[in-house]
Amino acid sequence: MDDLERAILVMFDESGALDDDLKKQAKVYCNDIKEKPLICRLCIEKLCFSNLVQVQFWCLQTLHEVIRTRYLTMTPDERHMIRGSVFSIVCLEDKNLTRVLEGPAFIKNKLAQVLITLIYFEYPLVWSSVFVDFFPHLSKGNVVIDMFCRVLNALDDELISLDYPRTPEELAVAGRVKDAMRQQCVPQIVRAWYDIVSMYRNSDHELCTSVLDSMRRYISWIDIGLIVNDAFIPLLFDLILVGPLSDQLRGASVRCLLAVVSKRMEPESKLSLLQSLQISRVLRLVTEDVDVELVSDIAALLSGYAVEALDCFKRINSEDAKGISMELLSEVLPSIFYVMKNFELLHLGQILEVILVLIRYDPVHRTNLDVMDKIGKEEEDRMVEFRKDLFVLLRNVGRVAPDVTQLFIRNSLASAVSRSSDSNVEEVEGALSLLYALGESISEEAIRTGSGLLSELVLMLLSTKFPCHSNRLVALVYLETVTRYIKFIQDNTQYIPMVLAAFLDERGIHHSNINVSRRASYLFMRVVKFLKMKLVPFIETILQSLQDTVAQFTIMNYTTEELSGSEDGSHIFEAIGLLIGTEDVLPEKQSDYLSSLLSPLCQQVEALLINAKLLNAEETNAKIAVIQQIIMAINSLSKGFSERLVTASRPAIGIMFKQTLDVLLQVLVIFPKVEPLRNKVTSFIHRMVDTLGASVFPYLPKALEQLLEEIEPKQMVGFLLLLNQLICKFNTLVRDILEEIFPSIAERIFSVIPRNGLPSSGSDAITEEIRELQELQRTLYTFLHVITTHDLSPVFLSPKCKAYLDPVMQLLLYSSCNHNDILVRKACVQIFIRLIKDWCAQPYEEKVPGFRSFVIEAFATNCCLYSVLDRSFEFHDANTFVLFGEIVLAQKVMYEKFGDDFLVNFVSKGFSSAHCPPDQAEQYRQKLQGGDFKALKSFYQSLVENLRVQQNGSLVFR
């Protein structure tokens, strides 16, 4: 056992025999190891040779974390090594690797999660065969089949399933993965499911159950014909009805049928599907002596079947079809009623009781949870994870029996409220958590109308002040629950005063616990955003209630510790801005409201800036913290005001924001090097560009000048992003500003970025400084791209800027040929295309001396030929293929602008040095002159691939 293994064992020790300091040291040691460049290789080696479960888990956890956070910076070789090693373990390619697949379930699940993280980044563009490669290994038996199921389950959990919130990026990746799987391997996967269940149905019920549970997850988005056919449907019914099979396997088969029944499709197709299933075959099971869980599954199937039949009846127009729908519904209703009468209600009530008991915190941790010490934080994290599956079960019960579920929650809340002391903290928190979790499974329409008992529950929620409301957990879940059901208030505005009281009194923003108060501020902002227009009559009441909260931002107390990390308080200002920024507020009132907020804040900033440089470090830091907080508040306040309102309908509002901008720009004068303040002021300038529109122009020269003062490379990124916003919004109107500041920008950037590029992201020599420079370089390319695509290329030719034209062109040329980021290379090529069009509008025109020959002799040959001849230019990569299209387009544009001057040089010099046969050169000439872009692109790709074969090597940038 080496030091790392010992440290892992210490870190995971739960015996209580080791002291906390030792465990902390072990954790620090392990975290340091994680930062090593070769950590992935180390983890793979440990997985191959260590029998310690704790070590295996740590290695898999580390691999998952490293791939998720550092994948884009890994070298291709490192990615290949990880990919091959993980797949070898998953598929048991080496018998010495069985220790992982024979380990506990959580190890195998974590291994599956690691593989899915690779799939997230690589499938199908890089690793297109991952699923297909799996199939030959399934013949190795249940160990690999079990792993196959876990991988499919993890793919659903981590990426595809919509039961969990997904970011737009994750949704896009999920769509890409599903599309590729449908085209490539779904039929083979379905065939594997069928073969495995058929083979193991009599020998390994647990394995077959796992396979069917995996299959169930995928039925909703694969071709239904792969399941609904003469092979699979009979197999599922056979598993349910015939032979002495386990109830778990029968239940899994029933759940697959429910997934089939629930598949979204046109009503005519759905009706045919329902008919073909002959569901009457399973009706007898509800009266037989079978396991209660199996009855529950069958009841869910019959209920789902009935819902779908009823939906067909509603959506279909044919009277004959409506009659069939009613026949199918009538066929299953007696069995549904029988189950409800004899099993369901009792069963569901018991399930809900168990859920409520299990989700309650242990009172022994009450104080820890309230003050959020280490024990409290660990207990809350544990409970959040523990509750996930229980809440899924709750939502399922809520869908099957909404009235039963809502009645249970109402009674639980009433029971908790009836106690007069605060000793029932856990009971109240549990009941509120049930109501909150239930909201995820209720439609917006049901919440809005208050269907069932929801209206009563919401009213009970709003009208109740629990004795234990001072408790942090109770207060938080109460506010989250009110927010979740806020749509009910939309059509029930008589309850608005109760909603406002919940957020504005001691239950919310005025809660004694600062964490509750800050969360209440954020949630209140969301409520305001939703109810915006309906809250206008209550503005006076709201502002009066928030007076003390707002005043905290103008307290001249530089040493108060409450300032640290208190930016969440700015949500109050965003809420106020949303309220007073609407045109439904009278102009005079609106001006008064805004002035009463902005004036004291601006005065506070001005007071803080006086003699600021004469204070000691502690006092200066305190001032900076206060200013930072005030800028955040003003920025948030401005979000409620539209450009049309402040510039057209109510210009007096715009004047106030301009005056505020004037004040905040002084911050940059006094504190030019304080990065947090620079960032906050820059953010406010971004906001003012959107809010004030073109009227912000008089302030831009001063603002940009101050931002450029003593700017660091990493700060230049934010500055360029601001310029990108200005260009995109105002186009050529910013030409004079750009001509004035471009020399300073170019001077600073070229002083830190070499013209021949920076080390690639996968290099071992990458430091934090180089990462910052890489980000700056990427932002620079975007900046140059934005300039050229917004008709601002004349900026490069202005007297002040033309000295930097050559360095810019050389950098673009080098990067278009050699940059490791394909998207950067594409942007550089697009810049050249646009510059050729701008500067060579007429054939043989020489608007920029030397540019024409530079493009023909350097860009055309090196980028459009030599760079694509290099074998690192991979046509099968999607991004690279898009870049190739831009390169071909560049050739087309050069021929249009330069004619035979381009063609002769490109063919005689470029093709000759690449040893291109004359007949192929002639074909290229014909394709280029023919004007068919697709034909030219296809031919040029074939030409490049043929030249690569002839060379048996690669050309390099010259």
Side-chain angles (χ1 to χ4, degrees), residues 186-205:
V186 165
Q188 295 100 307
I189 292 175
V190 175
R191 182 69 203 186
W193 287 333
Y194 180 85
D195 291 342
I196 293 166
V197 174
S198 300
M199 180 180 297
Y200 289 92
R201 57 181 293 184
N202 296 317
S203 58
D204 196 332
H205 292 178

Side-chain angles (χ1 to χ4, degrees), residues 89 135 177 180 240 345 372 535 602 624 712 717 734 766 774 819 824 856 863:
I89 297 173
F135 298 135
V177 168
I240 296 169
L345 295 181
M372 277 300 282
L535 295 179
C602 289
I624 289 170
E712 299 291 334
V717 171
V734 298
I766 296 297
Q774 287 174 337
H819 203 283
V824 167
I856 293 175
C863 177

Side-chain angles (χ1 to χ4, degrees), residues 687-715:
R687 172 59 53 190
M688 288 299 97
V689 169
D690 285 335
T691 305
L692 296 174
S695 65
V696 79
F697 262 81
Y699 299 85
L700 291 178
K702 177 183 176 182
L704 297 175
E705 179 186 350
Q706 291 299 331
L707 287 172
L708 270 174
E709 190 78 23
E710 303 182 60
I711 195 168
E712 299 291 334
K714 62 180 178 181
Q715 296 167 339

Side-chain angles (χ1 to χ4, degrees), residues 91-105:
C91 289
L92 205 61
E93 290 185 338
D94 185 342
K95 291 184 178 179
N96 294 323
L97 303 177
T98 55
R99 56 174 54 83
V100 176
L101 297 194
E102 291 176 352

Side-chain angles (χ1 to χ4, degrees), residues 883-954:
L883 166 61
F884 181 72
E886 295 294 334
I887 288 174
V888 176
L889 177 61
Q891 297 171 46
K892 182 175 177 293
V893 171
M894 285 187 286
Y895 179 70
E896 291 171 355
K897 300 300 181 185
F898 307 141
D900 288 340
D901 285 356
F902 157 70
L903 190 55
V904 170
N905 187 83
F906 195 61
V907 171
S908 64
K909 294 184 179 179
F911 280 14
S912 297
S913 64
H915 309 295
C916 176
D919 61 322
Q920 291 191 1
E922 179 58 31
Q923 287 184 57
Y924 170 79
R925 183 194 304 270
Q926 293 172 5
K927 296 290 183 184
L928 184 63
Q929 294 172 334
D932 186 337
F933 180 75
K934 287 186 177 179
L936 172 63
K937 183 179 176 182
S938 177
F939 174 78
Y940 195 57
Q941 181 180 349
S942 300
L943 175 61
V944 168
E945 290 171 340
N946 290 336
L947 291 177
R948 285 180 179 177
V949 173
Q950 293 175 20
Q951 293 167 2
N952 192 28
S954 63

